[in-house]
Amino acid sequence: MIALSAQNIAKSFGVNAVLRDVSFTIQQGDRIGLVGVNGCGKSTLMRIIAGLDTQDSGELSIVRGTRIGYLAQQDMVTHGSSVWAELEKVYEPVFEMEKKLRALEAEMAEAHEDASRFSRLSSDYDRLLRTFEESDGYSWRSMVSGVLNGLGFAPAQYEQNVDSLSGGEKTRLCLARLLLQKPDLLLLDEPTNHLDMETLGWLENYLSAYRGSVLVISHDRYFLDHVCTGIVEILMGNAEQYGGNYTRYIAQRQERFETRMRAYELQQKEIERQQAIIARYRMYNREKSIRAAESREKALDRMEKLEKPVDERAIHFRFEARRRTGEDVLKINGVSKSFGDKHLFQGFSLHVRAGDRIALIGPNGVGKSTLIKLITGDEAPDTGDIRYGSNVDIGYYDQHQSALHPEKTVLDEVWDRFPRMEQSDVRGALGMFLFTGDDVFQPIRTLSGGEKGRVALTALMLRKDNLLLLDEPTNHLDMDSREVLEDALSGFGGTIITVSHDRYFINRIADRIIEMQPGGVTEYMGNYDDYLEKKNRPVEQEAVAGKTRTELDKEKRREKMNRQALRQLKVRAQEAEKAVGLKEEEIARLEAQMADPALYADTAKASQVQRDYQRAQADLAALYEQWEEAEAALQSEDA
C-alpha cells in the first residue's frame, strides 16, 4: 500500500529553481534513501513532506492519519530539562492512560454488585489496557534506556541537563526522542552525523526492523546499503527512483546511463541520415523533391529530441606505481608515542607486506593520524623504530590539505611539484579531476574542501608512489567522487594504509583491519564486514565445522593472498591493454607517414620509417599475446 506519493513537485527560491519535476512513491514499510549532490534540494523536499514548506506546484499525497516524525540537521531540546526527562515526555499519553486504568479499577471495585455497569467498565478497561500495552506502557523505561544506550548515552548522563550537552549530543537526543515516538513515516536528515561506528551499527539494526516507513538523507553509503530498500536520486531538479540498496542503485544508474546513451546515439545517427536525405532532395531542385525535403524537415522538427545523458561520475583517473617494492614494505617495531600526559600507544608493532590494504580504525584521539605521520617521518616515535623495505616510495594524502599553498593557483600548485611536465599535461591531469578552462587559475584559498581534495589527489596520482598513506581520503568528496576514488584504488598494484571512518570505503578497499583502542590494538583479517562478523562472533563459535581459530585465520590469509593475486592480474591486464593501445597509435602514425608521397623523396628516411613500422608490427603481435595471456589468467581466477 502506498504511504506517500509525490507527483511533479516543483519549488523555487526567487529565480533559483531547486526542484523542477520530482515524482516518486513510498510504500508502507519502505526505507528510502534520498541522495544527490549538495544543494540539489534534498532537505527542501523533506521539509515539504514534513509540512514545514509548501511546494510551488505538484501534488503530495499522504495516507490520512499518517503520523510523520521529522529529524532536521539542527533540532531543538527543552531548555532546563534532563536527558531522561526529555525522553520521558514521549510517554505522557501512556501516563494518562495509566491514570485512567487506576480510575477504572476503582470504579469496577465499587460496581461489582451492578452487573451491567461492571460489564461496561470491564469492556472499557480491556480496550484501554490493550492500547496501554501496545504503547509500551509496561516497558517504556527499558525502551528509553535501550535507545539512550544504543545512541551512546551512558547511565551517568541520564540526569544531565540538556543545556550542557554538545551539539552532537543534542542531535542524538532528538533522534532518540523521535525513534521512541514511532511515527508511521520517519523523516531523517543526516541522522548519521555525530555517530561513531558502534552507534551507527545500532541505528542500522533499529531502522532495518522499523515497522513504519523511512525516508532518510545520508552521505554514509554503508548506512544506505544496510538500511535502504530503495533509493531516490535528485538530479537536475528531477527525481529518479531505484529499487534495492545503495550498491544496487549504483549498478542500475550505470545501466540506465548506458541505455540512454545508446538511445541518444541512435537518434543522432537517424537525424544525420534524415538531414543527408533532405540535402540530396534539395540538390535536385525540383518541385517534387523540394516538397519531399520539406515534409522530412517537418517530421524532423516534430521529433522529440533526446538530451545527451550526462555521466555524473565525470572524474576518471587511476593510480599507478612507477616501480615495484620488495615483499617487505614496512616494519614497525615497538613504537610508542605520547604528547605530554597523553599516551597514544605503547609497543605498537606492524608488518606491512607488498599489496597489503590496511585500514586503521578506532575512536578519535587514539593516534591513527599520528601513526601515519610517524610513517611519513613528520613525527618521531618516542621509542621503537620504523624500517622501510627496498624501493618504497611514499605518497601521503593529508585530510587537512596542509601542504597546499593558499595563494597559489590550482595550476601552479600542481605544476610546481612537477616542473618537468608540460603545462598541457598538467592541465590534462587536472581535467581528469574536473578542473577545466579558467578553473585552473583559481587560488587554492577560494576552493571548497572537496575541490582541495581533488587538487591533492591530482598531485598524488602524478607521483606514482607504491605505498599510499591516506588520512580520511573520502572526507569532503561527494558520493560519485568517492566511488571513482575506490575504483582507482582497487586497480592500484601497490600497498595502501588508510585512516577512515567511511565504512563503505573500508569495505571496498581493505583486506586487513587494525582497530586502535585506548586499551590496545587488535588486528582482523578481511574487510569491514569481516571485521564486524569476527568482532561480534561469540568465543564458543570461533571453532566452526571442526576448525580451530588458527585454521580459520590461515584461511583468511589464503583468501587475502588470492585477492592480492587477482588484483595483480587485473593490473597486468590493464597495463597490457594500455601498451597495445599505445603501440596501435604508433603504428597509425607510421602508416600516415608512409601514405605521404613526400616521404619517399628521402630514401634513407623512408627506409627507416618502414623498418620502424615492421618492428612496431612485431611488437604489437607480442603485446597482443601478453594481453591475451593476462586476460586468460584473469578469467581463470574469476572462475
Side-chain angles (χ1 to χ4, degrees):
M1 181 177 176
I2 294 177
L4 177 147
S5 174
Q7 297 295 325
N8 312 116
I9 300 295
K11 180 69 176 178
S12 297
F13 294 96
V15 296
N16 182 25
V18 178
L19 304 174
R20 292 186 174 86
D21 186 11
V22 171
S23 299
F24 66 96
T25 59
I26 301 178
Q27 301 286 337
Q28 287 186 356
D30 277 353
R31 298 183 298 279
I32 303 296
L34 191 57
V35 302
V37 298
N38 291 336
C40 71
K42 300 187 296 294
S43 294
T44 298
L45 178 60
M46 191 165 276
R47 287 178 58 85
I48 290 172
I49 295 171
L52 301 177
D53 284 337
T54 56
Q55 67 269 29
D56 298 334
S57 61
E59 185 177 349
L60 186 66
S61 302
I62 301 174
V63 173
R64 185 184 299 275
T66 297
R67 294 179 301 117
I68 297 177
Y70 173 55
L71 177 75
Q73 295 182 48
Q74 302 294 329
D75 221 316
M76 301 294 293
V77 292
T78 307
H79 175 70
S81 179
S82 71
V83 168
W84 185 270
E86 186 72 13
L87 299 190
E88 198 176 51
K89 291 174 187 173
V90 172
Y91 292 96
E92 285 178 351
V94 172
F95 304 152
E96 288 300 317
M97 278 189 271
E98 190 171 19
K99 288 179 183 178
K100 290 180 180 178
L101 285 171
R102 301 291 84 81
L104 282 170
E105 287 168 359
E107 285 189 64
M108 288 165 65
E110 294 175 0
H112 66 279
E113 294 181 356
D114 186 338
S116 175
R117 184 182 174 208
F118 185 85
S119 176
R120 178 173 51 80
L121 289 172
S122 295
S123 297
D124 292 344
Y125 184 85
D126 289 342
R127 282 195 299 271
L128 186 58
L129 184 61
R130 281 196 299 272
T131 305
F132 179 78
E133 290 171 345
E134 290 168 359
S135 303
D136 302 322
Y138 293 118
S139 60
W140 70 268
R141 287 182 179 82
S142 62
M143 294 292 294
V144 170
S145 59
V147 170
L148 283 173
N149 182 61
L151 290 176
F153 288 94
Q157 291 180 280
Y158 289 180
E159 297 306 318
Q160 183 177 344
N161 191 307
V162 296
D163 297 328
S164 65
L165 297 177
S166 68
E169 288 171 329
K170 288 179 180 177
T171 301
R172 283 191 279 127
L173 184 59
C174 292
L175 176 57
R177 183 179 62 198
L178 186 59
L179 295 179
L180 289 171
Q181 289 170 349
K182 298 180 181 177
D184 303 311
L185 176 58
L186 191 54
L187 307 177
L188 303 175
D189 194 345
E190 295 291 359
T192 58
N193 291 353
H194 314 294
L195 302 184
D196 59 25
M197 286 184 172
E198 186 175 347
T199 307
L200 280 168
W202 178 88
L203 181 60
E204 286 162 3
N205 291 333
Y206 187 97
L207 292 178
S208 295
Y210 193 72
R211 292 184 179 179
S213 304
V214 180
L215 180 65
V216 58
I217 298 171
S218 179
H219 288 86
D220 187 327
R221 297 166 298 160
Y222 193 89
F223 175 85
L224 294 173
D225 230 19
H226 285 71
V227 169
C228 293
T229 59
I231 300 289
V232 172
E233 181 183 24
I234 306 297
L235 180 64
M236 307 291 287
N238 300 313
E240 295 217 346
Q241 188 159 9
Y242 300 82
N245 63 5
Y246 180 83
T247 298
R248 182 68 189 118
Y249 144 73
I250 288 295
Q252 289 179 82
R253 188 177 69 167
Q254 184 62 26
E255 291 168 6
R256 289 190 188 184
F257 170 78
E258 291 171 357
T259 300
R260 287 172 178 165
M261 182 59 78
R262 284 195 295 271
Y264 170 80
E265 290 172 348
L266 286 172
Q267 188 183 68
Q268 290 300 303
K269 287 180 180 178
E270 177 59 18
I271 290 172
E272 289 175 7
R273 190 179 74 86
Q274 292 295 336
Q275 288 173 339
I277 293 172
I278 291 168
R280 282 202 305 273
Y281 278 151
R282 290 198 173 278
M283 275 176 53
Y284 297 147
N285 200 25
R286 297 173 184 165
E287 184 178 351
K288 186 177 180 180
S289 63
I290 289 174
R291 281 201 305 270
E294 289 173 347
S295 175
R296 285 181 179 266
E297 282 175 340
K298 289 177 181 177
L300 208 54
D301 290 339
R302 288 194 301 270
M303 180 187 292
E304 186 176 345
K305 306 296 192 299
L306 299 175
E307 291 187 12
K308 184 176 182 179
V310 177
D311 187 357
E312 295 87 2
R313 297 175 61 181
I315 300 177
H316 298 283
F317 72 102
R318 58 187 292 184
F319 286 108
E320 298 176 342
R322 61 179 174 274
R323 59 177 180 170
R324 294 179 181 272
T325 63
E327 177 57 28
D328 294 325
V329 173
L330 181 69
K331 287 186 177 180
I332 302 175
N333 299 305
V335 164
S336 301
K337 185 65 181 178
S338 300
F339 291 97
D341 296 332
K342 175 72 172 177
H343 302 291
L344 295 179
F345 39 80
Q346 293 181 331
F348 182 91
S349 297
L350 179 66
H351 185 188
V352 181
R353 298 175 179 84
D356 276 351
R357 275 100 188 295
I358 298 173
L360 304 175
I361 67 173
N364 293 333
V366 295
K368 302 185 298 294
S369 295
T370 299
L371 180 60
I372 293 289
K373 290 181 179 179
L374 290 175
I375 298 172
T376 63
D378 292 333
E379 296 280 355
D382 299 334
T383 63
D385 62 90
I386 298 174
R387 298 179 183 178
Y388 307 98
S390 59
N391 298 329
V392 173
D393 304 312
I394 295 177
Y396 173 47
Y397 180 93
D398 175 16
Q399 64 166 314
H400 303 297
Q401 314 304 344
S402 55
L404 299 181
H405 301 81
E407 299 307 318
K408 283 188 178 181
T409 65
V410 170
L411 178 61
D412 289 339
E413 178 65 44
V414 177
W415 201 5
D416 287 351
R417 301 189 192 196
F418 305 93
R420 294 185 180 180
M421 288 183 67
E422 295 291 335
Q423 186 190 91
S424 59
D425 293 333
V426 177
R427 294 193 67 161
L430 286 167
M432 293 183 189
F433 291 84
L434 306 186
F435 292 105
T436 58
D438 291 341
D439 293 345
V440 300
F441 301 116
Q442 296 179 85
I444 295 294
R445 58 180 165 76
T446 65
L447 302 182
S448 67
E451 289 169 332
K452 289 177 181 177
R454 288 193 270 122
V455 173
L457 285 172
T458 306
L460 187 63
M461 177 193 71
L462 291 173
R463 285 177 55 91
K464 298 187 176 181
D465 296 312
N466 50 35
L467 172 58
L468 299 183
L469 304 177
L470 310 175
D471 191 0
E472 298 289 359
T474 60
N475 278 8
H476 307 299
L477 296 181
D478 60 35
M479 284 182 167
D480 288 331
S481 297
R482 293 179 190 184
E483 292 281 340
V484 175
L485 173 62
E486 289 156 5
D487 289 342
L489 291 174
S490 295
F492 176 57
T495 305
I496 299 170
I497 302 176
T498 181
V499 174
S500 181
H501 288 85
D502 187 334
R503 297 168 298 161
Y504 195 91
F505 173 81
I506 295 171
N507 222 30
R508 287 195 64 186
I509 297 303
D511 54 28
R512 288 172 70 186
I513 305 287
I514 306 295
E515 183 181 34
M516 301 176 67
Q517 295 285 353
V521 175
T522 309
E523 179 174 349
Y524 299 85
M525 299 303 296
N527 61 11
Y528 189 80
D529 282 341
D530 296 324
Y531 153 77
L532 280 184
E533 185 272 329
K534 207 163 191 177
K535 187 180 175 76
N536 296 329
R537 184 173 60 201
V539 174
E540 60 270 18
Q541 291 182 8
E542 287 186 347
V544 179
K547 298 175 184 175
T548 65
R549 182 173 180 176
T550 301
E551 288 171 332
L552 290 170
D553 283 344
K554 285 181 179 178
E555 282 189 5
K556 286 288 187 183
R557 289 184 182 276
R558 284 196 295 270
E559 288 173 11
K560 175 196 161 189
M561 294 294 290
N562 290 336
R563 285 197 296 269
Q564 288 179 355
L566 182 59
R567 189 160 55 242
Q568 288 169 358
L569 283 174
K570 286 179 179 177
V571 171
R572 271 181 54 198
Q574 290 169 353
E575 289 175 348
E577 183 181 2
K578 183 179 178 181
V580 166
L582 292 172
K583 189 59 65 175
E584 287 177 338
E585 289 176 7
E586 180 187 346
I587 289 172
R589 287 195 299 270
L590 291 169
E591 287 175 341
Q593 285 182 267
M594 292 166 64
D596 184 359
L599 172 67
Y600 300 95
D602 185 338
T603 307
K605 186 177 180 181
S607 298
Q608 182 61 49
V609 169
Q610 288 175 341
R611 285 194 296 273
D612 290 345
Y613 179 75
Q614 291 169 356
R615 186 171 61 252
Q617 288 281 17
D619 290 345
L620 182 62
L623 287 170
Y624 265 120
E625 189 173 335
Q626 292 174 18
W627 186 17
E628 288 170 0
E629 287 176 358
E631 287 290 342
L634 187 59
Q635 289 172 8
S636 175
E637 284 291 325
D638 283 337

